[in-house]
Amino acid sequence: MSVSRRTLLLSSAAGAAVVWPSGAFAAPHRGPLRTDPFTLGVASGDPAPDGFVLWTRLAVTPLAEDGLGGMPARDVTVHWELAADERFRKVIRKGTATARASRAHSVHVELDGLSAGREYFYRFRAEGYTSPAGRTRTAPARSASGGPLAMAFVSCSQYEHGYFTAYRRLAEDEPDLILHLGDYQYEYAPDTYTVPGGNPRDHEGPETVTLANYRQRHAQYKADPDLQAAHAVAPWAVVFDDHEVDNNWAGEVPEQPDPDFRTRRAAAFQAYYENMPLRRTSIPRGIDMQLYRRLHWGRLATFHMLDTRQFRDDQGCGDGYRDCPAASDPARSITGPEQEKWLLDGFRRSTARWDVLGQQVFFGQRDNNAGPQKVLSMDSWDGYQGSRDRITRGWVDAGVRNPVVLTGDVHAHWADDLKLDYDDPTSRTVGTELVCSSITSGGDGADVASGNHSWSAWNPHLRFYNNQRGYVRTRITGDALTADFVVLPYVTTPGAAAHTRATFVIEDRVPGLTRVADNPTPSATLRSAAEQGAETVRQETDRP
């Protein structure tokens, strides 16, 4: 009986038994590992025209307190296969890699020499056990048109706040590329960061501080079958935000005074690399990690993946929403000077139809005060206005054809037009920002029937708001970028259906948003403006 690609990948990622064709591997035998080590699934990432990264991590007991997944203190040889079909009848590349005990038995296979713009399937074997299968693809050739591209982006998956159903629905969409824009996992101890009605799931272990803590926490997340399904269906490009280390950290400054923060940051970075499909260029060196990079999708799109945590100045005026003089200090930076130069050089050299910034925190201005005083989030680009002005003017001066900023962090869907002068509502629009809600963070949330936040009354460039969980699904062609804001009615119990709450189009050479569809939930109730504002402030500071 033939099995569809979707059924094969999703059932495999969910841990269901998969019967491989005879001859695909030698008959299984039970080696020193007494149980299946592929409990954390498989993943791929950072697609290029000639290759990508394949990832897995061996763990027979994912939640082991020492973070080593119950694995023996020895290296393990892992076999991998790459095929042109989901049944592995046409294996085109195979080899071995070493899952090193010093790297928590993670495996990164960095392939090149493959055909551009092709779909591939992969899997691993170790000591008689076979992993689930994954689907991935190479990017189109740099000279190819590259479209259409089905790309989705996500952020903020707090395990305790709900079930990862949105990851499952994303996998069912079968995108070509997934961007994760930060807060992949959260650092909190159980019952520290709670949602109304109580958390439906608990973190294992204490607040993450040590390497063992971070490894254990990543393993708990990776063991979730819905997250595994999303990883198995498409290549990912990932960047971290704050919770992969510590809430609202900035450079070498933690949220709370901590003389050992450098050690904690180094541990978090090492665990992050071990658990993500990143290239060897991102291997941490102590407290440093090269995360900002570019992905090219033919001539259609260039993705500039940014790091807005590692090099930023500390938040002004003690963080939070403030009317703060430091916010407008032109010397302050959210990217650091080297990354800013790299980004501006990329704008000048770009020949792509769409230049997309994959980054973490809100880019456009959000003044939460209706009066003359300007009250802004110090953790967002509002707290680093010099950085924002230089980068915005950089893409304008470079003649970037279609600049689009993608954002996570704030646990709600937003869409806004980007300006050079936010204080002048009549100033021209020079770009577009799309903000995805969280996968779970914040709990169920609520639909906002109007599709607008109360702040839009004095921030008219803010065009859309919704406070349900979900993700953003896009379709990119030479003529337009279409964005579907996908939402789930609940996440505190599993199995919710997803629907498109609103759809916007950005037309080629026409910066700004055109709404083409609006589909509020029939049972939606509009919360008061005060409730909406309070919710956003709570999400932005993201503190229990």
Side-chain angles (χ1 to χ4, degrees), residues 377-442:
S377 167
M378 295 298 100
D379 191 56
S380 72
W381 289 78
D382 273 338
Y384 305 84
Q385 294 169 32
S387 273
R388 181 172 64 198
D389 290 347
R390 289 189 295 272
I391 287 169
T392 306
R393 292 183 187 279
W395 77 54
V396 172
D397 293 345
V400 168
R401 182 164 176 157
N402 293 300
V404 179
V405 178
L406 308 182
T407 301
D409 183 58
V410 293
H411 306 176
H413 283 321
W414 294 77
D416 54 299
D417 296 333
L418 300 178
K419 307 279 188 176
L420 285 172
D421 183 0
Y422 291 96
D423 296 329
D424 177 7
T426 66
S427 65
R428 70 186 179 104
T429 296
V430 297
T432 312
E433 181 174 21
L434 305 172
V435 183
C436 65
S437 185
S438 63
I439 293 293
T440 53
S441 302

Side-chain angles (χ1 to χ4, degrees), residues 92-414:
I92 60 173
R93 193 82 67 85
K94 59 184 177 180
T96 61
T98 301
R100 300 192 182 281
S102 61
R103 291 291 177 90
H105 292 97
S106 61
V107 175
H108 295 75
V109 179
E110 196 166 328
L111 296 180
D112 56 19
L114 301 173
S115 298
R118 283 278 306 276
E119 180 181 70
Y120 293 93
F121 298 84
Y122 62 95
R123 62 186 178 187
F124 300 89
R125 176 172 59 90
E127 302 194 3
Y129 296 94
T130 304
S131 77
R135 167 184 176 248
T136 190
R137 65 186 313 113
T138 50
R142 289 290 298 273
S143 60
S145 62
L149 167 64
M151 181 275 294
F153 63 99
V154 298
S155 72
C156 302
S157 48
Q158 217 288 27
Y159 184 91
E160 299 176 295
H161 286 187
Y163 293 87
F164 289 166
T165 311
Y167 279 137
R168 173 71 54 171
R169 301 296 171 248
L170 171 59
E172 291 167 352
D173 288 341
E174 295 190 14
D176 301 317
L177 177 67
I178 297 171
L179 308 186
H180 199 292
L181 302 182
D183 294 345
Y184 182 93
Q185 59 94 47
Y186 280 67
E187 78 275 28
Y188 297 113
D191 295 323
T192 302
Y193 180 18
T194 58
V195 294
N199 292 341
R201 305 198 289 186
D202 288 326
H203 277 152
E204 192 78 17
E207 178 166 342
T208 55
V209 176
T210 68
L211 179 57
N213 296 156
Y214 284 109
R215 284 170 166 171
Q216 180 192 41
R217 187 61 51 80
H218 274 284
Q220 183 175 20
Y221 280 58
K222 276 291 200 307
D224 185 277
D226 294 330
L227 176 54
Q228 288 188 18
H231 271 301
V233 81
W236 286 40
V238 301
V239 286
F240 53 57
D241 191 22
D242 54 338
H243 290 292
E244 288 87 351
V245 181
D246 175 42
N247 182 55
N248 282 15
W249 66 281
E252 296 183 26
V253 181
E255 180 183 27
Q256 301 294 336
D258 179 3
D260 297 322
F261 181 69
R262 286 168 59 92
T263 301
R264 180 181 185 178
R265 176 173 139 172
F269 282 11
Q270 181 172 336
Y272 186 79
Y273 175 79
E274 289 170 350
N275 286 277
M276 293 295 169
L278 288 162
R279 294 181 179 271
R280 63 177 67 93
T281 52
S282 292
I283 294 174
R285 292 170 175 81
I287 68 164
D288 300 318
M289 184 176 186
Q290 180 63 47
L291 197 64
Y292 65 84
R293 63 205 188 280
R294 288 190 184 90
L295 280 67
H296 300 279
W297 204 267
R299 292 183 289 111
L300 180 69
T302 294
F303 295 92
H304 309 266
M305 305 299 291
L306 303 188
D307 177 349
T308 63
R309 285 289 164 192
Q310 191 174 174
F311 310 108
R312 68 158 71 191
D313 292 304
D314 193 15
Q315 293 93 343
C317 299
D319 207 355
Y321 273 79
R322 300 282 189 271
D323 178 12
C324 179
S328 57
D329 180 352
R332 285 168 43 80
S333 176
I334 195 172
T335 62
E338 290 185 12
Q339 184 177 192
E340 182 179 296
K341 180 180 183 300
W342 167 86
L343 182 57
L344 296 177
D345 287 345
F347 290 155
R348 287 189 287 268
R349 296 174 183 174
S350 178
T351 58
R353 185 67 63 98
W354 301 88
D355 278 270
V356 181
L357 278 63
Q359 61 91 48
Q360 296 83 348
V361 294
F362 213 99
F363 191 86
Q365 180 172 290
R366 286 185 307 160
D367 180 4
N368 79 353
N369 181 32
Q373 199 176 31
K374 189 182 292 186
V375 182
L376 306 169
S377 167
M378 295 298 100
D379 191 56
S380 72
W381 289 78
D382 273 338
Y384 305 84
Q385 294 169 32
S387 273
R388 181 172 64 198
D389 290 347
R390 289 189 295 272
I391 287 169
T392 306
R393 292 183 187 279
W395 77 54
V396 172
D397 293 345
V400 168
R401 182 164 176 157
N402 293 300
V404 179
V405 178
L406 308 182
T407 301
D409 183 58
V410 293
H411 306 176
H413 283 321
W414 294 77

